[in-house]
Amino acid sequence: NGGTGTSDDPYTISGDKETVTAGTTLLNTRQSGEYVNFDGELYRIVGIENNTTKLNKMDYVRDESNEVIEKNFASSTTFGSGDSDTYWDYYLNNTWYNSISETYKNMLVAGTYYLGRVGSDSSYKGAICATASNTVTTAACIKTSSIWTGYVGLPRYGEMFASQQGNGWSSSESMWLITPYSSSFVWGVSSYGSDSLISPSSSTNGARPSINLQSGITINGGTGTSDDPY
């Protein structure tokens, strides 16, 4: 029905979401792939669950010099086990969380992050379903009991937009995913875009936070593109 097929002006087809009405349209009525400006940073919608909107940050967490911060994943392969700023799970849910302005912090809600193990050559569905043979998109997927609940997580193995966001073949830094591979390793994405197995407490890498916004958040403007996010 319109558009040129670029990221800033995608094609629109019959059945697309209705036009956004500023101050009225709920963010949780939009679709995966659209962009959101959250506290001055660019995020992307990766899904809607229980009426909350899950966003993944497009860029890494950086310091005041704009350098990518590198940290250990956690004290084990289970996200949420860290007890100091040495670890991303602790840092994101304490230091980084407290750096968010109060206006935006009040929009956050604790989300469920699925921690099912995904072995080599296994289906990515094992990260979210009780068994990899379950189907994510239907009621047949019995969700794994391996979860972490909190305000700030990381992208999941196999999740939409969990890849690197750098330019060309090489990104700025390797990054962590939240999905464990085994009792000794966690999945990550190398700076060259390939998946990799990393020791959670002996290796340091960058991170792209994942957050969930409350169900009542409305859109005040924008069209949902990278140049004009909600």
Side-chain angles (χ1 to χ4, degrees):
N1 294 333
T4 60
T6 66
S7 60
D8 294 331
D9 185 29
Y11 296 130
T12 58
I13 60 177
S14 177
D16 273 356
K17 297 285 187 176
E18 68 279 358
T19 301
V20 170
T21 302
T24 301
T25 302
L26 293 171
L27 187 62
N28 65 7
T29 64
R30 304 311 297 170
Q31 51 202 356
S32 298
E34 294 185 299
Y35 294 83
V36 176
N37 183 331
F38 180 83
D39 201 20
E41 298 277 2
L42 191 63
Y43 288 73
R44 206 166 190 184
I45 299 174
V46 296
I48 311 294
E49 186 169 339
N50 298 323
N51 290 321
T52 64
T53 307
K54 186 177 184 182
L55 307 178
N56 282 353
K57 191 174 184 293
M58 290 293 292
D59 194 14
Y60 311 90
V61 178
R62 297 177 180 269
D63 61 21
E64 294 179 353
S65 300
N66 203 38
E67 295 296 322
V68 176
I69 298 175
E70 298 179 29
K71 291 182 178 294
N72 300 115
F73 173 78
S75 58
S76 72
T77 57
T78 301
F79 192 86
S81 61
D83 57 5
S84 73
D85 272 354
T86 298
Y87 305 108
W88 274 119
D89 54 354
Y90 184 92
Y91 177 86
L92 289 174
N93 287 279
N94 291 275
T95 302
W96 188 82
Y97 172 80
N98 289 323
S99 72
I100 300 172
S101 67
E102 286 300 318
T103 298
Y104 286 90
K105 187 184 294 183
N106 290 334
M107 297 180 185
L108 296 178
V109 64
T112 298
Y113 293 85
Y114 298 100
L115 306 180
R117 290 183 182 178
V118 176
S120 296
D121 300 321
S122 296
S123 171
Y124 71 92
K125 290 182 286 188
I128 190 172
C129 296
T131 66
S133 61
N134 290 157
T135 303
V136 173
T137 55
T138 72
C141 174
I142 302 171
K143 298 293 181 64
T144 177
S145 60
S146 299
I147 62 172
W148 175 81
T149 302
Y151 284 102
V152 191
L154 294 171
R156 186 180 67 243
Y157 185 97
E159 186 174 54
M160 191 176 293
F161 313 121
S163 60
Q164 287 287 11
Q165 302 296 318
N167 294 319
W169 179 250
S170 180
S171 299
S172 300
E173 181 58 64
S174 297
M175 71 178 210
W176 293 105
L177 298 177
I178 202 170
T179 305
Y181 165 80
S182 66
S183 60
S184 301
F185 295 97
V186 174
W187 284 104
V189 184
S190 75
S191 59
Y192 295 99
S194 60
D195 55 11
S196 59
L197 301 177
I198 315 171
S199 173
S201 57
S202 62
S203 301
T204 59
N205 292 288
R208 291 175 46 226
S210 176
I211 56 176
N212 291 271
L213 302 189
Q214 296 177 10
S215 60
I217 303 299
T218 58
I219 297 171
N220 290 328
T223 57
T225 66
S226 58
D227 287 342
D228 188 29
Y230 296 133

